[in-house]
Amino acid sequence: MNMSQTCKLGWLERNTTIKQRIWFGFLLILIVLTGVSVSTYFKFNILGSGINRVTETIQPAVLTSQNLAFQLESSNYALGFYILTKGDSYKDKYFSLLDDAQESLEKLVSYDYIRNNQAMTSTTESLGSRLNTLVGFKDRVVELVNNDVLNLPAMALAGEKLNPLAQQMQGMVSEMILSEWGEDNTDESRSEYRQALYDLRYYNAQLVGELRTFLAFRADINIDNMESMIDVIDSKLAFVEESSDMHSFEQEEMIPQYKVKLVDYKAALNEAVEVHKSDKYRSDIYLAQHSIGPEISNIQNELWGLLDKLNADISLQSNELQEESTNSSNFVLIGMSIGILAGLLIAYFMSRMITVPINDVVRAFDDLAQGEGDLTHRLNEEGRSELAKLSMGFNRFADKVHHLVSQVAGEVSNLSEVVQNVSVIVEQTQQGSITQKEKTSQVATAITEMTATVQDVATNADLASQSAQQADTNARSG
């Protein structure tokens, strides 16, 4: 401990009470702990701000984007079921999911984190445009699903061209057959010709039926069957044309017309087959596959790109938060270590400031109690502390004891002289006593002798008294 620290501690010992020292030490520890706590609070506040930035700004945008992607995918599924089943429940679900997707997009656009990022703002604007396009298909989808003529181009061709042509052709063949009954066939020469007309009518009807089957199932076997029937019809028509000598007036007029209708029918049939074989055979499915589906895919791709950016920002923020968390943990550990060390140092110095003066007093009292104390030793009584007051009391007590002991020492010195004098007197008295004893012995002998003489005198006196009493008696009796 250097001189300045010693002076500071001495000043504190002189000018503070024990209570003040305890409070001072407690306040110092409290200040250190408060400093550590405040620093820790600010560190964790920064960490909390970072976490809030992720959880309250970026994470909601991520969740909303994911929800939007899920809603669009679910709407696509609902559209598929609606197209297949024509169920109103799937239609309502499809519409509801599109409405939810619009609400999610509006919510996504409203986030400050999105608005403050130019690239993300551009992405959401593109998403909004594409979603509006997607919503615009709703009425068209409903119209196509509920109208087979509009929904099936081949069926529309069948209704607009093929069926009318087939009816006209069948009517022509029926007229040709009807006109044939006015011709003579007793020699069976027209039988083969008539059979060709019957076959022509039969295969016309079969071709219409096969077309309906093809429109229903789109099987390649139906196409093969129709091609075979067309070949048969062509061969029958060729035979009828070659048999011109058997033509009736009506047949001569009908065959060229039938041939023209057949050409038109073949062209319309080829067109219907080509359409019905392609992915355009159903307009609702084609719309879903080539317009709605790609639009949803484009929206989802943009959403995944937006999510990648948001996740990258979250990853960056998470790394920063992880680093900040590590720094905060290290700072807390260092702060706690400093706080503990400071507390130990403060406790050590405070205990010395309290216990050292007390130990001085204890040692002083121990010296007194053992009877070997130095009554000239005085405790330091500077300052205003309780120990200074205790030292002052001890010093006053020591002064009184020292004064009393000094007086006792003086009296003992005087008493020693008196004792010496008394010792001389006693010695003299002892010598006088011996002499007196000898004289007393002589006096006792004389007294003994005197006592014997006195006893003799007393005896003689008694005898004289008795003689006087006898004489008195004799005189009275006289």
Side-chain angles (χ1 to χ4, degrees):
M1 187 182 299
N2 57 36
M3 185 64 68
S4 61
Q5 291 175 331
T6 304
C7 293
K8 292 178 180 178
L9 290 177
W11 182 87
L12 288 174
E13 290 178 359
R14 290 192 302 270
N15 294 278
T16 57
T17 64
I18 294 177
K19 181 179 180 180
Q20 290 173 337
R21 293 174 197 174
I22 293 173
W23 276 106
F24 178 72
F26 174 75
L27 288 175
L28 284 178
I29 295 174
L30 188 61
I31 289 171
V32 173
L33 293 178
T34 300
V36 174
S37 299
V38 170
S39 301
T40 303
Y41 170 77
F42 282 113
K43 283 288 184 180
F44 281 102
N45 192 36
I46 295 172
L47 186 62
S49 299
I51 294 174
N52 290 337
R53 187 165 57 252
V54 172
T55 57
E56 295 181 4
T57 58
I58 305 178
Q59 193 65 35
V62 171
L63 294 176
T64 303
S65 299
Q66 292 174 339
N67 192 39
L68 176 57
F70 173 76
Q71 289 165 345
L72 290 172
E73 186 175 0
S74 299
S75 70
N76 202 21
Y77 291 146
L79 173 62
F81 283 113
Y82 175 54
I83 289 173
L84 291 175
T85 64
K86 299 183 180 181
D88 289 337
S89 61
Y90 291 115
K91 180 188 73 174
D92 295 339
K93 188 169 183 62
Y94 172 60
F95 286 1
S96 175
L97 287 168
L98 287 180
D99 292 338
D100 293 341
Q102 287 183 305
E103 292 179 2
S104 296
L105 181 60
E106 291 175 358
K107 185 178 180 181
L108 181 63
V109 172
S110 67
Y111 292 128
D112 292 336
Y113 191 81
I114 300 295
R115 289 203 304 264
N116 295 331
N117 189 302
Q118 184 61 40
M120 293 182 183
T121 301
S122 300
T123 301
T124 54
E125 290 175 355
S126 175
L127 289 173
S129 176
R130 291 184 182 278
L131 187 57
N132 289 334
T133 301
L134 193 63
V135 172
F137 289 124
K138 290 195 301 183
D139 294 337
R140 179 61 177 167
V141 168
V142 173
E143 183 181 18
L144 291 174
V145 170
N146 293 324
N147 190 329
D148 289 337
V149 175
L150 290 176
N151 195 28
L152 299 172
M155 187 173 289
L157 281 172
E160 294 173 2
K161 293 183 179 181
L162 290 171
N163 289 339
L165 286 172
Q167 291 175 0
Q168 293 174 12
M169 291 166 60
Q170 198 72 344
M172 291 177 183
V173 173
S174 296
E175 288 184 14
M176 286 189 288
I177 292 173
L178 184 62
S179 68
E180 184 62 26
W181 291 108
E183 302 294 330
D184 183 22
N185 190 31
T186 56
D187 57 356
E188 299 292 332
S189 59
R190 300 182 67 87
S191 296
E192 186 179 359
Y193 178 76
R194 287 182 178 180
Q195 186 61 45
L197 292 176
Y198 291 145
D199 290 341
L200 197 61
R201 183 176 64 178
Y202 172 77
Y203 281 106
N204 276 337
Q206 288 296 107
L207 182 60
V208 172
E210 196 68 28
L211 174 61
R212 289 174 180 172
T213 304
F214 172 68
L215 292 177
F217 299 103
R218 299 177 67 235
D220 291 338
I221 187 65
N222 301 128
I223 298 175
D224 295 337
N225 291 338
M226 287 189 293
E227 289 175 351
S228 298
M229 291 174 187
I230 290 293
D231 292 339
V232 172
I233 290 172
D234 286 340
S235 66
K236 296 298 180 181
L237 180 60
F239 175 78
V240 171
E241 282 185 305
E242 291 173 358
S243 304
S244 58
D245 55 338
M246 296 184 182
H247 292 173
S248 66
F249 176 78
E250 291 84 358
Q251 293 170 350
E252 191 71 28
E253 184 179 351
M254 291 293 178
I255 289 173
Q257 295 179 8
Y258 180 85
K259 189 175 181 179
V260 172
K261 295 296 182 183
L262 180 60
V263 171
D264 292 339
Y265 188 88
K266 288 180 181 179
L269 181 61
N270 288 333
E271 183 181 359
V273 169
E274 289 299 321
V275 170
H276 212 55
K277 283 174 60 179
S278 69
D279 54 2
K280 296 181 180 180
Y281 83 99
R282 282 187 61 170
S283 296
D284 55 359
I285 295 177
Y286 184 81
L287 181 66
Q289 290 178 340
H290 293 83
S291 296
I292 297 176
E295 201 67 44
I296 291 177
S297 297
N298 291 332
I299 293 174
Q300 288 181 328
N301 290 334
E302 291 189 359
L303 278 174
W304 295 132
L306 178 62
L307 282 170
D308 289 340
K309 293 178 183 177
L310 292 171
N311 288 326
D313 291 345
I314 289 177
S315 179
L316 179 62
Q317 294 288 338
S318 297
N319 291 334
E320 292 178 356
L321 290 174
Q322 183 67 32
E323 183 178 357
E324 185 66 29
S325 176
T326 302
N327 293 336
S328 297
S329 299
N330 294 334
F331 180 82
V332 170
L333 290 175
I334 293 172
M336 289 179 63
S337 300
I338 292 174
I340 292 171
L341 180 61
L344 291 174
L345 290 174
I346 291 169
Y348 171 74
F349 287 115
M350 289 298 103
S351 64
R352 281 185 56 83
M353 291 171 62
I354 294 171
T355 59
V356 169
I358 292 176
N359 288 333
D360 289 341
V361 175
V362 170
R363 282 193 296 271
F365 278 113
D366 284 340
D367 289 342
L368 290 178
Q370 293 174 1
E372 297 177 359
D374 182 7
L375 295 179
T376 61
H377 177 70
R378 295 294 181 268
L379 299 177
N380 184 10
E381 58 185 39
E382 294 181 1
R384 300 179 299 168
S385 69
E386 293 88 345
L387 294 175
K389 295 177 181 179
L390 179 61
S391 297
M392 290 173 63
F394 174 80
N395 290 339
R396 287 196 299 270
F397 172 73
D399 286 340
K400 290 181 178 180
V401 172
H402 183 262
H403 179 68
L404 180 60
V405 170
S406 296
Q407 288 180 340
V408 170
E411 294 298 330
V412 167
S413 178
N414 294 332
L415 183 59
S416 178
E417 293 179 359
V418 171
V419 169
Q420 290 178 356
N421 293 332
V422 169
S423 178
V424 173
I425 295 171
V426 168
E427 186 177 354
Q428 293 175 352
T429 303
Q430 186 177 7
Q431 292 295 330
S433 295
I434 293 172
T435 303
Q436 187 67 32
K437 181 179 180 182
E438 294 176 354
K439 292 180 178 181
T440 302
S441 178
Q442 294 176 358
V443 170
T445 301
I447 290 173
T448 300
E449 294 177 353
M450 187 179 295
T451 299
T453 304
V454 170
Q455 286 178 353
D456 290 341
V457 172
T459 301
N460 293 328
D462 186 49
L463 292 175
S465 176
Q466 289 177 2
S467 296
Q469 286 178 356
Q470 186 65 41
D472 183 58
T473 302
N474 291 330
R476 289 179 181 179
S477 62

